[in-house]
Amino acid sequence: MNDTRSTTKANMNNSTTSDHETVEQIVKKQSQASTGSVEPMGQESSPIQKSSKPVSPDPSDLNSLWAPVPLIVTRTKMMTIRAGTRPPKDKFIQVLPFTASADGSIEDYLHCRPVLFFEYQFDGDLAAKTFYVSPGTEVAQLLQEKERLTQALLVLGVVRNGSPFVWELKLPNGQNESADNWARSRFNLAKVAETKWIKPKANIGAGGYDYEEPVAPYDPPNWDDVEFDRAIELACKDRVISTLDHDAVKEALGR
């Protein structure tokens, strides 16, 4: 800018050039300066060569990155959910209060779903996969005869950070005393978690669960943020067995 002003002043004081020509030269020079090239004005000006290299953006000029976009309000839609027989490890959890019926009436089950539970571990897997078998089907009858079915309750829980999970509470079936003790312990633990935050602790020696409570008081979870039926639907997705053609059934029974 200083060079431009000093050149303009020199040309305006040049007595050999008319006022009309000087104004034209000024306008011409300003126009050329805005496009990055300036032609010489008289003998006193030196020609400025136009650079052949593009000018790199200044990385410190944050204003050059300003790109306003319209504000879009979104709502997170639950697409997947963790489901398992064990509660999340080393997490404080709560469970949505539930009621189970002893007579099997659907109306008497609140915030829980009774299912026929089948587990099978494929070669190469680190843990068994869990499946839900449709009752009254041929595959359910055959798995029951082979003592491969277990009754379970699906209940809804949430960890302290707000992530929901489905807890598969296997019920005692009288086939294995140790397994039945663990099943009773998990059920009792879930009932305790209905009213307070707890961190489950497996007690291998005692064959059951203890729990730890938080030092600071935590606010209760907002169950309105989680749809129970939607959570169960996601937990059951691709895990329902209705026929003998399922790979887990064929491998387990040697079909």
Side-chain angles (χ1 to χ4, degrees):
M1 292 294 294
N2 292 335
D3 292 341
T4 302
R5 285 196 297 270
S6 62
T7 303
T8 301
K9 183 177 180 180
N11 286 313
M12 290 180 65
N13 292 334
N14 191 341
S15 59
T16 62
T17 307
S18 65
D19 291 343
H20 181 67
E21 291 175 339
T22 302
V23 171
E24 287 182 340
Q25 290 173 342
I26 294 173
V27 173
K28 184 177 181 180
K29 181 176 180 180
Q30 290 177 339
S31 176
Q32 292 171 337
S34 65
T35 60
S37 64
V38 180
E39 293 183 357
M41 297 182 61
Q43 300 297 324
E44 298 181 1
S45 301
S46 300
I48 301 177
Q49 298 296 328
K50 184 177 180 180
S51 175
S52 60
K53 296 182 179 180
V55 178
S56 300
D58 184 359
S60 64
D61 184 11
L62 298 182
N63 288 332
S64 65
L65 302 177
W66 184 260
V69 294
L71 178 62
I72 301 175
V73 179
T74 61
R75 180 181 179 182
T76 301
K77 185 176 182 180
M78 186 167 53
M79 299 301 295
T80 59
I81 192 170
R82 177 193 181 277
T85 58
R86 297 179 177 86
K89 187 176 181 180
D90 201 29
K91 302 290 184 182
F92 285 102
I93 66 169
Q94 272 207 37
V95 171
L96 181 64
F98 64 94
T99 302
S101 172
D103 59 12
S105 176
I106 296 178
E107 292 78 10
D108 293 333
Y109 282 88
L110 176 66
H111 297 150
C112 63
R113 291 290 183 273
V115 295
L116 294 178
F117 195 74
F118 169 60
E119 294 179 281
Y120 183 74
Q121 184 170 347
F122 290 95
D123 290 341
D125 287 350
L126 298 178
K129 294 185 182 297
T130 58
F131 302 94
Y132 314 126
V133 181
S134 299
T137 59
E138 183 182 4
V139 62
Q141 181 180 355
L142 189 55
L143 289 173
Q144 185 67 51
E145 292 174 357
K146 299 295 183 178
E147 298 184 348
R148 297 300 300 266
L149 282 187
T150 302
Q151 290 183 316
L153 282 178
L154 305 183
V155 300
L156 182 62
V158 64
V159 299
R160 179 66 182 86
N161 65 7
S163 299
F165 66 94
V166 171
W167 196 353
E168 301 163 336
L169 295 176
K170 291 190 290 185
L171 302 178
N173 57 15
Q175 297 176 3
N176 184 295
E177 183 179 357
S178 176
D180 286 352
N181 288 337
W182 280 101
R184 294 188 188 95
S185 181
R186 278 189 290 267
F187 185 88
N188 293 335
L189 191 70
K191 298 303 290 184
V192 172
E194 288 181 335
T195 57
K196 57 184 176 181
W197 292 102
I198 63 172
K199 181 188 291 185
K201 298 281 188 179
N203 188 330
I204 305 300
Y209 280 92
D210 298 328
Y211 65 85
E212 176 184 332
E213 297 185 41
V215 176
Y218 287 156
D219 292 333
N222 184 2
W223 294 112
D224 293 336
D225 293 340
V226 185
E227 298 179 19
F228 175 78
D229 290 337
R230 176 60 175 166
I232 299 300
E233 177 186 348
L234 292 174
C236 294
K237 185 179 180 180
D238 301 326
R239 299 172 67 187
V240 176
I241 296 178
S242 300
T243 71
L244 293 170
D245 294 330
H246 195 279
D247 289 341
V249 175
K250 290 190 291 187
E251 290 198 24
L253 301 180
R255 293 178 58 86

